[in-house]
Amino acid sequence: MASLVGYQPEDEASHPPNAYPDYVSTRKRAPVHPPIRIAHTLSEITGPRLVRGASVLESLDLTRGSGGEALGERVIISGRVLDGNGRPIPNILLEIWQANAAGRYAHEEDRHDAPLDPHFSGAGCLLSDAQGRYRFVTIRPGAYPWANHYNAWRPSHIHFSVFGPGFASRLITQMYFPGDPLLALDPIFNSVSAPEARDRLIAAFDVETTIPERALGYRFDIVLRGRNATPMETSR
Amino acid sequence: MKFGPTPWQTVGPFFGPALVAPGLDVLADSHTRGQRIFIEGQVLDGDRSPVPDALIEIWQANAVGCYDHPEDPRQDKALDPAFHGFGRAGTDKSGCFRFATIKPGPVPGVDGGLQAPHINVSLFARGLLRRLTTRIYFPYEELNASDPVLKLLPEPRRASLIVKQVAKGRFRFDILLQGDDETVFLEI
Ligand SMILES: [Fe+2]
């Protein structure tokens, strides 16, 4: 017999429901049946670690794309990838994407009337280091309008896609900036009902990470789902 | 700040350049062991309109039922160096996706038995604040009758997880996000 360590149930108070009508796109996409809970097996405990072809850097600078410097306010985002007990997780792939300083994505479906920046793709990936740390340099993304409701604007945000150690610990989220007045009006941010959980989506300004004469620094730790304390038995 | 898990947020509509690249929907090459299969399908919303901005990820065992992952205790004997088990595809303008892979072998369950061959599926989209997870099963598998996940599902809904064979080695897996006959999603 080999022992496998399963994952704790998702902490529902920390996550949004899929059915959240204030975010209008959920109305025709959120399932109506509740999901069926299954026991964890090798299928859920194992999982992808890397995406084939992804260049796995431990640092990343999105401001120096295609032969020139991106326009906008340079920022440094750094933090740690932690498990549910606060232990750092090394070698975790983080994929990030964001709008440019004008609030425009380098994506063919983005119709916002704001300029593209030829020196900013807004997409990259990196790995957490042996202490679970990650760090990248980018520009602060602009707010952008969307059609959800009258005068709707997304607060500045950076999208993060994270592979945890297993299929069960996958996470896709968005990082926001402190003090953004649009946060209070944003249904995606506010789909997380608990204020203390929403706070975990907001990076903290960090003078230690800030580089004089160069860029403001922010800290954003990513906490993945916790694992059980005791293994379960399974057959070999 | 109180310590706790980072909340999920939607993948939104603009993930393509960061997450999708040509070839990520092809899991097997000419060296991979096992039966080559194609899995194709369409993602539909509650109005049965195509979902053109969904992201689908699959994770599966190799032909002998072994996962390429350090926590699968059978690494030494069963790993296939030409198969890693992860695929990713964005849906196209008509909500369609397609993977080229191999049929997975049966994987051990928690009770000492075997699970029927299956592929683990994650689905993300604008309008989904969190991931949906489900599984792809195959028709005419003896182990389906005793599979611990299939057994949990009420009979009329079970069929939504079993792909339809459309030709030799070609299977169809449509995903209906919302409605009475929506696809079964699993809480893992
Ligand atoms: Fe966005």
Side-chain angles (χ1 to χ4, degrees), chain B residues 27-166:
Chain B
L27 288 75
D29 66 24
S30 61
H31 303 288
T32 307
R33 293 191 284 268
Q35 181 200 343
R36 301 264 167 319
I37 59 169
F38 292 98
I39 294 175
E40 55 205 25
Q42 188 180 30
V43 183
L44 299 170
D45 71 10
D47 290 332
R48 296 186 176 261
S49 299
V51 175
D53 48 10
L55 176 72
I56 295 166
E57 291 180 348
I58 61 173
W59 170 243
Q60 64 168 98
N62 66 20
V64 296
C66 187
Y67 285 104
D68 181 10
H69 188 277
E71 290 181 61
D72 187 325
R74 301 155 305 152
Q75 293 297 310
D76 42 337
K77 50 183 171 191
L79 217 56
D80 178 351
F83 189 74
H84 304 295
F86 176 69
R88 184 186 262 174
T91 52
D92 65 15
K93 288 194 164 51
S94 38
C96 294
F97 64 90
R98 176 177 153 114
F99 290 100
T101 183
I102 49 120
K103 196 172 149 198
V107 172
V110 282
D111 53 358
L114 283 174
Q115 305 185 64
H118 66 272
I119 295 175
N120 307 289
V121 179
S122 297
L123 191 147
F124 317 83
R126 171 179 65 83
L128 289 176
L129 284 157
R130 292 165 74 161
R131 159 173 82 159
L132 297 176
T133 46
T134 186
R135 285 181 171 197
I136 290 171
Y137 283 89
F138 296 88
Y140 319 118
E141 291 289 329
E142 254 177 58
L143 285 167
N144 283 355
S146 57
D147 183 83
V149 171
L150 288 178
K151 274 202 301 195
L152 285 176
L153 311 182
E155 179 63 51
R157 301 195 68 209
R158 195 175 301 168
S160 71
L161 298 195
I162 300 175
V163 286
K164 317 264 177 307
Q165 184 159 359
V166 292

Side-chain angles (χ1 to χ4, degrees), chain A residues 173-185:
Chain A
T173 190
Q174 300 181 26
M175 185 210 92
Y176 301 93
F177 289 85
D180 192 327
L182 293 170
L183 286 169
L185 306 173

Side-chain angles (χ1 to χ4, degrees), chain A residues 97-99 105 144 154-155 157-159 174, chain B residues 11-14:
Chain A
W97 67 103
Q98 63 167 92
Y105 284 89
Y144 59 84
R154 293 296 329 278
H157 62 276
I158 299 176
H159 296 265
Q174 300 181 26
Chain B
V11 73
F14 300 131

